[in-house]
Amino acid sequence: MKKHQSQFFVLFAFVLAQIAWLGLLGLWIYWYVSNYIRYEQVREGYIVPPGIVNPKVGVFVIGIIMIAGIATAVFIIFRNLTVQRKLTGLYDNFIANITHELKSPLSSIQLYLETLSSKNIPPEKQKEFYSSMAKDTDRLHKLINSILEISRIEQKRVSHNYHISSADIIPKIIESSFKNFRLPEDAYKIEGSVRGKCVIDNDAMQIVFDNLTDNAIKYSPAPLNILVKLKSNEKQNIIEFSDNGIGIGIKDQKTIFNKFHRVYNKNIPNVKGTGLGLFWVREIIKLHGGKISVKSEGLNKGTAFIIELPIYKTSKILYIKSLLRQTAKKERFMETADGE
Ligand code: ADP
């Protein structure tokens, strides 16, 4: 829907710009020709003294306005076309990436199934195959779920379960992400603590730290070192999540949260992805009333993501209360539906 709206806007702006500058051109020609004819008629009635010339200031001004109008129209058209071309490029990349992400687990499952059905495989080996297939299925499941969930967020159809939690839920969620990815204990460290109560959807927040952990693993050559620093000020719980990986160039730091954006650099290992993870992370943090930013000294200097989450009752009170109301309403609705 949004895409159609933006395409319609581009088309509308394009047509409007054309009408505007063609209109201006017509007006200018009309004005100039009629004035010229009048000027000639008047001039024929008088003897113009030598040294007096037709000043034509109006012609000059209108000409300038017209050129400025045309230039603006061309600029708008050019800018919209550039944005459109960039989006098409990103979209094409996304299709290529997602196709790869979908195809590779499917091919591997297919291969295991063919081997299992055509050959006599010893039971231990069979067990190994089944476990690999389960992992691939899980990967597909997660990928498809993430696409559906992101599309729901974009259409504002997402319904999170927000609850008031004590601050220590944050390190617990982070630690459980590390466990989900089976990180060895010496690969991460959590320093400091957060103090303020917060309103959080635990599952959504888990997705945030799963994505950050996944990226830290993908974009850090071994040995991985993740450092999480926790602190609070009066209004916010602040989480700084940093790794010792390949880092992100200053220019790319501005775009990595955008949908489909991936960084291409010959020094960066060829890691597969969809460019959706950080977009999803930012949307979840925004829905919690928070903010996320990135800091990196540059390539090969590691990356730090800084998340600021409002503390319950000291910041964004009205917004946070509206989140709690949404969840309470949803829970009441579910209870009624269960009771019927
Ligand atoms: P994906 O990982 O699927 O490409 P993301 O949205 O998660 O998509 O990340 C967008 C881009 O940001 C990545 O392609 C990568 O270039 C860069 N990036 C994200 N996290 C890190 C990190 N921890 N270190 C270096 N680069 C990162």
Side-chain angles (χ1 to χ4, degrees):
M1 182 69 187
K2 259 191 168 172
K3 196 178 160 203
H4 285 144
Q5 270 176 358
S6 77
Q7 273 175 358
F8 175 74
F9 176 72
V10 172
L11 198 70
F12 184 68
F14 179 76
V15 172
L16 212 68
Q18 299 306 310
I19 293 174
W21 84 263
L22 280 172
L24 220 69
L25 185 68
L27 260 176
W28 186 78
I29 292 170
Y30 170 75
W31 183 88
Y32 184 79
V33 171
S34 59
N35 272 294
Y36 187 75
I37 293 168
R38 271 173 57 205
Y39 175 76
E40 285 297 306
Q41 283 166 351
V42 172
R43 197 173 62 90
E44 272 165 20
Y46 290 93
I47 298 153
V48 182
I52 296 184
V53 287
N54 175 14
K56 291 185 182 141
V57 173
V59 178
F60 180 72
V61 171
I62 297 288
I64 293 284
I65 293 174
M66 195 184 72
I67 291 165
I70 293 171
T72 314
V74 169
F75 173 73
I76 293 173
I77 294 162
F78 181 74
R79 207 187 58 175
N80 282 331
L81 282 179
T82 318
V83 170
Q84 200 61 35
R85 238 190 32 215
K86 234 186 197 165
L87 276 178
T88 313
L90 284 172
Y91 189 67
D92 287 347
N93 275 340
F94 169 70
I95 297 292
N97 290 330
I98 199 92
T99 312
H100 175 274
E101 295 284 295
L102 290 169
K103 251 177 101 175
S104 76
L106 264 183
S107 313
S108 126
I109 294 173
Q110 192 179 15
L111 193 71
Y112 284 127
L113 286 175
E114 278 169 11
T115 320
L116 281 167
S117 60
S118 64
K119 288 185 188 145
N120 235 345
I121 309 284
E124 319 83 66
K125 205 77 193 150
Q126 279 189 22
K127 228 171 152 188
E128 206 182 288
F129 281 13
Y130 285 127
S131 134
S132 297
M133 280 195 282
K135 267 191 208 144
D136 284 329
T137 323
D138 188 46
R139 201 170 131 196
L140 282 173
H141 187 77
K142 275 193 184 140
L143 183 65
I144 293 165
N145 258 359
S146 70
I147 295 168
L148 289 176
E149 198 57 30
I150 288 167
S151 124
R152 269 192 217 118
I153 284 190
E154 285 199 295
Q155 293 169 19
K156 306 212 181 323
R157 284 196 299 117
V158 71
S159 69
H160 283 145
N161 294 313
Y162 297 101
H163 291 108
I164 306 167
S165 303
S166 63
D168 62 358
I169 189 74
I170 292 174
K172 276 189 193 148
I173 292 177
I174 298 174
E175 199 132 359
S176 96
S177 275
F178 295 156
K179 298 253 148 58
N180 288 346
F181 284 88
R182 297 185 215 292
L183 282 191
E185 285 200 358
D186 60 353
Y188 63 87
K189 197 163 152 200
I190 301 180
E191 274 178 4
S193 62
V194 275
R195 290 192 313 270
K197 274 188 182 173
C198 39
V199 167
I200 279 186
D201 176 321
N202 291 3
D203 294 339
M205 206 45 78
Q206 190 73 63
I207 289 169
V208 166
F209 290 106
D210 281 357
N211 268 296
L212 293 186
T213 309
D214 189 26
N215 279 349
I217 298 168
K218 283 198 305 191
Y219 302 108
S220 302
L224 171 65
N225 229 316
I226 296 179
L227 175 63
V228 181
K229 285 189 192 160
L230 302 174
K231 61 183 178 192
S232 300
N233 61 27
E234 227 174 87
K235 298 194 161 193
Q236 287 149 335
N237 287 326
I238 302 166
I239 306 138
E240 187 173 320
F241 189 105
S242 50
D243 62 45
N244 60 330
I246 58 175
I248 303 174
I250 307 286
K251 206 173 119 239
D252 294 315
Q253 290 174 25
K254 293 194 185 110
T255 55
I256 50 163
F257 292 102
N258 296 348
K259 201 162 59 164
F260 307 144
H261 270 265
R262 307 199 71 227
V263 181
Y264 290 98
N265 184 315
K266 61 179 176 354
N267 302 318
I268 291 175
N270 183 22
V271 179
K272 292 290 169 199
T274 56
L276 287 176
L278 287 180
F279 172 74
W280 196 8
V281 164
R282 186 183 60 180
E283 292 304 299
I284 292 176
I285 297 293
K286 270 194 336 207
L287 284 174
H288 280 77
K291 228 170 83 181
I292 180 164
S293 55
V294 65
K295 224 169 53 181
S296 173
E297 301 284 306
L299 289 184
N300 297 320
K301 299 211 171 129
T303 305
F305 289 96
I306 298 115
I307 297 175
E308 294 165 5
L309 289 173
I311 290 177
Y312 182 51
K313 284 203 171 156
T314 69
S315 174
K316 307 219 168 161
I317 308 171
L318 290 179
Y319 177 73
I320 302 293
K321 283 199 168 157
S322 80
L323 296 180
L324 289 170
R325 268 201 306 276
Q326 261 174 42
T327 302
K329 203 165 139 194
K330 187 174 124 190
E331 283 172 351
R332 270 201 307 276
F333 175 76
M334 306 276 270
E335 270 168 28
T336 329
D338 282 349
E340 277 167 5

